[in-house]
Amino acid sequence: MTRMFIRADKSVLQEAITPTLCAVAGKSTTAALECLMLHATEEGILEITGYDLNKGVKTRLPVLVLEAGGVLVNGSQLNAFIRSLPDGEVSIATDERLVTTISCKKSKFELHGISVDSFPTLPELNGEKRFELEQGLLKKMCQQVIFSVAQISTKPHLTGVLFEIKENNCRLVSCDGYRLSIRNEAISLMTGEEMSFIVPGKTIGELIKLLDESEEKVNVELTRKYIIFSFKEMIFFSRLIEDTYTVYQKSIPSEYRIQAKVELSEAMSSVERASLVIDEKTKSPLKCTLSHDGYMINCVTANGRVDEEFSIEFQGDDAIEIGFNYRFLLDAFRGAGMSGDNEVMLQLNSPTLPMIIRPVDHDEYLYLVLPIRL
Amino acid sequence: MTRMFIRADKSVLQEAITPTLCAVAGKSTTAALECLMLHATEEGILEITGYDLNKGVKTRLPVLVLEAGGVLVNGSQLNAFIRSLPDGEVSIATDERLVTTISCKKSKFELHGISVDSFPTLPELNGEKRFELEQGLLKKMCQQVIFSVAQISTKPHLTGVLFEIKENNCRLVSCDGYRLSIRNEAISLMTGEEMSFIVPGKTIGELIKLLDESEEKVNVELTRKYIIFSFKEMIFFSRLIEDTYTVYQKSIPSEYRIQAKVELSEAMSSVERASLVIDEKTKSPLKCTLSHDGYMINCVTANGRVDEEFSIEFQGDDAIEIGFNYRFLLDAFRGAGMSGDNEVMLQLNSPTLPMIIRPVDHDEYLYLVLPIRL
């Protein structure tokens, strides 16, 4: 199946190519990994697939198939060519020597294709276990935990997001060793089974970009080594991290000496301002003082000095002085704000124990941040 | 004059600081060059000045001066602090130890100031010769010639834009050795004198950013070593390039064997598409064929092959085949389009001689591009 000849509208083609690009490898020693697989079927469908051995995206669109067949073409080149064309009908034709001609009106591109035999074998895309979530909701849940995924770690599980599904609850957990994010959501399970698996942080990052804010359902399926998300006219799949997630529950205290209700936007802009004197290299901690008088943030570095103050609802016997990495605070506040909360509860025990940030009235999410010694 | 104390609205302060930042040096061994000079006068004016020894910007704004004085503060820090503050009245106070406190509501920044004595001496900002141009017009004229200023050259004059003012005409010229841009505009001279001077390309780049599209006049003054642009509440000045501009007129042919009228948007998108197979490293030329049959662009590289075609109004005996760097063509077409022309005239003599691009009906501008051997 070498020769191929299709016709389709430029904008429709472009829309189908864009999401597949996230699964095209950058510079690779294997040219096929830099390619998209185009596969035109007798049934009048063009399948476009990108797969970098870790994650893949497949889109399908109805086109005019004059000759069914398939070819691999460089993904970024194909995208640049299609994007640059004038609006109108585009034809893509591959001859027996794999020379692929893309033309529209009086513009014509020729590029060298590769045989589809060189493309890596795709995994099985039908899982046994499955569940559903709304696109917009899944996107938000992922955004609320992705920041605390470890970028690099000797413990592979920390570079991923744990999905724990049981008793009609879907829980996402991430932890980079300094902070922990937990996001819960009630779901109705299709198969009633419990599931627990770890999705690479990079996959979650790409998934966030592919999902929109709609209420349309995403079908999530699970095989032994892969997770498959199906939505719109798209299948997004990724290898799982084969590791065991650490028991994280015991790091969350059950009692707190101090509680403070904080207005989110005020807290965030104070931390942002205070961060202006911090040098990214030295990473000086912000000194936070919580008391009946309010929340004070102070920071003194070689660059200067900042003092910030805002009022809080404080519960506790005496004031606490605790140091934090400002980025960790901002990330947690932003994550909390994403659920629409304007206020959060801060819960603390001592300057050497973690602080918990959670909603005032519900337990949809929880963030835990380790302090820095002042 | 060390101590200083002023109050002003945050957004007004921010607006006065922003334009001065372009004249603050980046990392410098002289801390004062990374600073802005704040100078509050008894008359209730705050002057903010940036000067990196080559170019400078001074803005003036009325503020509440509680104590007249001056201080140097790090420009990017000051900007970041002011920008981050909540809306409202900001106070800036410098004490005798030069500690400068910026405060607004419950936010307070302290940073270390430097004595104004460390600031470089500003040049004389009153020129003898002067002329006026509308802001929007001057901006467009600069944009139409800046692309052909040499980035680096052993000939200092090529790194600048020549201003030639005589007989009520203002001409801007730039040339990087491969192409030449000329832009003419009728003006009424204040002093009737002829002027000729070279402004550094980097200065012109900053000037473009500072100018808006309005019809408000810019007052341009000239001293022996400096050019001074005054507009809005701002003075922008720059050192001139002390060199002699090469005689450029003789490189423009007076007769042409071939002429072709070209639709600009069509030509530009064809060149843009054709450039997609060009590797930035090898810089393969675009083969352009002009004939009674139309304008054809072909390019074959290791990345693939492109063929483009569009119709033109051709005058000449026989076809011509000529090679160009695609960037030079695009720059010239874009520059021409800026004057609102939809069509331009291409004028050629041979595949080894320059091509001229100019408006169909007037001589407001002219671009000359050298070909590349195919």
Side-chain angles (χ1 to χ4, degrees):
Chain A
M1 63 159 207
T2 295
R3 288 173 57 96
M4 182 191 88
F5 190 6
I6 63 130
R7 287 215 186 106
D9 181 69
K10 179 225 168 170
S11 60
V12 176
L13 260 177
Q14 195 180 315
E15 226 172 277
I17 291 172
T18 308
T20 62
L21 294 171
C22 75
V24 171
K27 284 283 165 210
S28 165
T29 46
T30 314
L33 293 185
E34 297 178 26
C35 285
L36 286 174
M37 179 161 67
L38 304 182
H39 180 211
T41 69
E42 301 282 0
E43 293 77 34
I45 296 291
L46 177 68
E47 286 181 354
I48 308 177
T49 313
Y51 182 41
D52 65 6
L53 298 177
N54 283 310
K55 58 186 181 314
V57 180
K58 179 186 264 190
T59 56
R60 293 163 55 85
L61 71 162
V63 299
L64 178 65
V65 177
L66 298 159
E67 186 162 6
V71 68
L72 304 185
V73 287
N74 183 285
S76 61
Q77 247 188 352
L78 179 71
N79 180 48
F81 288 173
I82 301 282
R83 187 172 289 270
S84 77
L85 290 173
D87 289 335
E89 200 187 45
V90 176
S91 70
I92 304 180
T94 303
D95 68 15
E96 42 287 301
R97 291 175 303 117
L98 293 159
V99 173
T100 301
T101 308
I102 302 165
S103 47
C104 178
K105 292 176 184 160
K106 292 201 169 179
S107 298
K108 203 172 88 183
F109 292 106
E110 255 176 48
L111 68 168
H112 309 291
I114 301 177
S115 161
V116 289
D117 304 337
S118 314
F119 207 62
T121 314
L122 297 178
E124 179 61 54
L125 293 182
N126 291 306
E128 282 173 23
K129 300 182 180 181
R130 60 182 290 264
F131 62 96
E132 281 187 347
L133 269 172
E134 287 174 10
Q135 274 204 64
L137 177 61
L138 177 58
K139 180 172 185 161
K140 200 189 282 175
M141 290 172 72
C142 289
Q143 286 173 322
Q144 287 182 294
V145 299
I146 193 162
F147 60 84
S148 51
V149 172
Q151 299 299 311
I152 325 165
S153 174
T154 50
K155 300 172 185 160
H157 71 275
L158 293 187
T159 65
V161 171
L162 172 68
F163 280 66
E164 266 190 331
I165 290 153
K166 58 178 175 189
E167 292 160 9
N168 289 326
N169 183 65
C170 172
R171 169 177 283 191
L172 272 55
V173 181
S174 68
C175 176
D176 64 4
Y178 303 100
R179 56 231 176 111
L180 169 76
S181 307
I182 299 178
R183 175 68 164 84
N184 290 303
E185 187 71 36
I187 59 166
S188 47
L189 282 179
M190 302 295 160
T191 46
E193 283 174 284
E194 293 191 358
M195 290 175 244
S196 174
F197 50 89
I198 307 169
V199 183
K202 283 182 186 156
T203 297
I204 296 294
E206 294 299 343
L207 181 65
I208 288 171
K209 288 186 226 157
L210 294 174
L211 292 168
D212 64 26
E213 322 286 338
S214 78
E215 294 179 7
E216 211 187 301
K217 295 282 190 207
V218 180
N219 179 44
V220 189
E221 290 182 56
L222 202 68
T223 68
R224 204 166 55 81
K225 295 197 170 188
Y226 283 87
I227 183 157
I228 304 132
F229 301 91
S230 316
F231 50 104
K232 300 180 216 164
E233 289 302 301
M234 202 186 306
I235 300 174
F236 177 58
F237 55 97
S238 162
R239 204 178 273 280
L240 296 171
I241 294 178
E242 299 179 60
D243 194 7
T244 320
Y245 216 85
T246 333
V247 181
Y248 57 86
Q249 292 85 346
K250 64 179 179 190
S251 56
I252 304 163
S254 53
E255 288 192 337
Y256 303 97
R257 206 168 58 75
I258 291 167
Q259 292 212 103
K261 206 192 274 183
V262 172
E263 212 258 294
L264 263 183
S265 61
E266 203 171 24
M268 277 176 65
S269 49
S270 282
V271 173
E272 274 166 3
R273 277 196 292 275
S275 71
L276 289 175
V277 292
I278 295 173
D279 195 315
E280 285 303 323
K281 274 184 212 147
T282 56
K283 289 202 183 63
S284 321
L286 291 186
K287 189 175 94 179
C288 301
T289 313
L290 285 86
S291 71
H292 286 286
D293 296 335
Y295 195 137
M296 280 190 298
I297 301 177
N298 313 95
C299 191
V300 188
T301 71
N303 290 326
R305 176 194 170 92
V306 180
D307 299 291
E308 287 283 333
E309 200 182 322
F310 53 92
S311 49
I312 51 175
E313 269 180 45
F314 184 85
Q315 295 165 39
D317 286 338
D318 41 279
I320 187 166
E321 219 178 85
I322 186 166
F324 288 107
N325 177 323
Y326 81 93
R327 284 199 177 280
F328 293 179
L329 283 187
L330 276 187
D331 284 342
F333 288 151
R334 280 199 196 114
M338 242 177 261
S339 281
D341 295 273
N342 293 322
E343 285 184 326
V344 286
M345 194 63 90
L346 308 183
Q347 300 176 312
L348 304 97
N349 278 313
S350 100
T352 54
L353 291 174
M355 174 167 81
I356 303 291
I357 302 174
R358 62 160 103 225
V360 176
D361 301 317
H362 51 102
D363 58 356
E364 192 173 282
Y365 54 81
L366 178 147
Y367 302 102
L368 175 154
V369 187
L370 285 183
I372 307 180
R373 195 180 295 272
L374 285 170
Chain B
M1 62 158 206
T2 295
R3 290 173 56 96
M4 182 191 88
F5 191 6
I6 64 129
R7 288 215 185 106
D9 180 69
K10 179 226 169 172
S11 60
V12 175
L13 259 177
Q14 195 180 315
E15 224 172 280
I17 290 170
T18 307
T20 62
L21 293 172
C22 75
V24 171
K27 285 282 165 208
S28 165
T29 45
T30 314
L33 292 185
E34 296 176 27
C35 285
L36 286 173
M37 178 161 68
L38 304 183
H39 179 209
T41 69
E42 301 281 1
E43 294 76 33
I45 297 292
L46 177 67
E47 286 181 354
I48 307 178
T49 313
Y51 181 41
D52 66 6
L53 297 177
N54 284 309
K55 59 187 181 315
V57 180
K58 179 185 262 190
T59 56
R60 292 163 54 87
L61 71 162
V63 299
L64 177 64
V65 176
L66 298 159
E67 186 161 7
V71 68
L72 304 185
V73 286
N74 183 286
S76 62
Q77 248 188 352
L78 178 71
N79 181 47
F81 288 175
I82 300 283
R83 187 172 289 268
S84 77
L85 289 172
D87 288 336
E89 199 187 47
V90 175
S91 71
I92 304 180
T94 302
D95 69 15
E96 42 286 300
R97 291 174 305 118
L98 293 159
V99 172
T100 300
T101 308
I102 302 165
S103 47
C104 177
K105 293 176 184 159
K106 290 201 169 177
S107 299
K108 203 172 91 184
F109 292 106
E110 254 176 51
L111 69 169
H112 309 292
I114 301 178
S115 162
V116 288
D117 304 337
S118 315
F119 207 62
T121 313
L122 297 178
E124 179 61 55
L125 294 181
N126 290 308
E128 282 175 21
K129 300 182 180 181
R130 60 183 288 265
F131 61 96
E132 281 187 347
L133 269 172
E134 286 174 9
Q135 273 202 64
L137 178 63
L138 178 58
K139 180 173 185 160
K140 200 189 286 175
M141 291 173 72
C142 289
Q143 285 172 324
Q144 287 182 294
V145 299
I146 193 162
F147 59 85
S148 52
V149 172
Q151 299 299 311
I152 326 165
S153 175
T154 49
K155 299 171 185 159
H157 72 275
L158 292 187
T159 65
V161 171
L162 172 68
F163 281 67
E164 266 190 331
I165 290 151
K166 60 178 174 188
E167 292 158 11
N168 290 326
N169 183 65
C170 173
R171 167 176 285 191
L172 271 54
V173 181
S174 67
C175 176
D176 63 5
Y178 304 99
R179 58 234 176 108
L180 169 77
S181 308
I182 300 178
R183 175 67 163 87
N184 291 302
E185 187 71 36
I187 58 166
S188 48
L189 282 179
M190 302 297 160
T191 47
E193 281 175 284
E194 293 190 0
M195 290 174 245
S196 174
F197 50 89
I198 307 168
V199 184
K202 284 182 188 157
T203 296
I204 297 294
E206 294 299 343
L207 180 65
I208 287 171
K209 288 186 228 158
L210 294 175
L211 292 168
D212 65 26
E213 322 286 337
S214 76
E215 294 180 7
E216 209 188 302
K217 295 281 189 206
V218 179
N219 178 44
V220 189
E221 291 182 55
L222 201 69
T223 69
R224 201 165 57 81
K225 296 197 168 189
Y226 283 87
I227 183 157
I228 304 132
F229 300 93
S230 315
F231 50 104
K232 300 179 214 164
E233 289 303 302
M234 201 186 309
I235 300 172
F236 177 58
F237 55 96
S238 162
R239 204 178 273 280
L240 295 171
I241 294 178
E242 299 179 60
D243 193 5
T244 319
Y245 215 84
T246 332
V247 181
Y248 58 87
Q249 292 86 344
K250 64 178 178 191
S251 55
I252 305 163
S254 53
E255 288 191 339
Y256 303 97
R257 205 169 59 77
I258 291 167
Q259 292 212 104
K261 207 192 271 183
V262 172
E263 213 257 294
L264 264 184
S265 61
E266 204 170 22
M268 277 176 68
S269 48
S270 283
V271 174
E272 275 167 2
R273 278 195 292 274
S275 70
L276 289 176
V277 292
I278 295 173
D279 194 316
E280 285 302 323
K281 275 183 210 144
T282 57
K283 290 201 183 65
S284 320
L286 292 186
K287 188 174 95 180
C288 302
T289 314
L290 286 85
S291 72
H292 285 287
D293 296 334
Y295 195 137
M296 281 189 298
I297 301 178
N298 311 95
C299 191
V300 187
T301 70
N303 290 327
R305 176 194 169 91
V306 179
D307 299 291
E308 287 282 334
E309 199 183 322
F310 55 91
S311 50
I312 52 175
E313 269 180 46
F314 184 85
Q315 294 165 39
D317 287 337
D318 41 277
I320 188 167
E321 219 178 84
I322 187 167
F324 288 108
N325 177 324
Y326 82 93
R327 284 200 176 280
F328 293 180
L329 283 188
L330 276 187
D331 284 343
F333 287 152
R334 279 199 197 114
M338 241 177 260
S339 280
D341 294 273
N342 294 321
E343 287 183 325
V344 286
M345 195 62 93
L346 308 184
Q347 299 176 314
L348 304 97
N349 278 312
S350 100
T352 54
L353 291 173
M355 175 167 80
I356 303 292
I357 301 174
R358 63 160 103 225
V360 177
D361 302 317
H362 50 101
D363 60 353
E364 191 172 281
Y365 55 81
L366 177 148
Y367 302 102
L368 175 154
V369 188
L370 284 182
I372 307 180
R373 195 180 296 272
L374 285 169

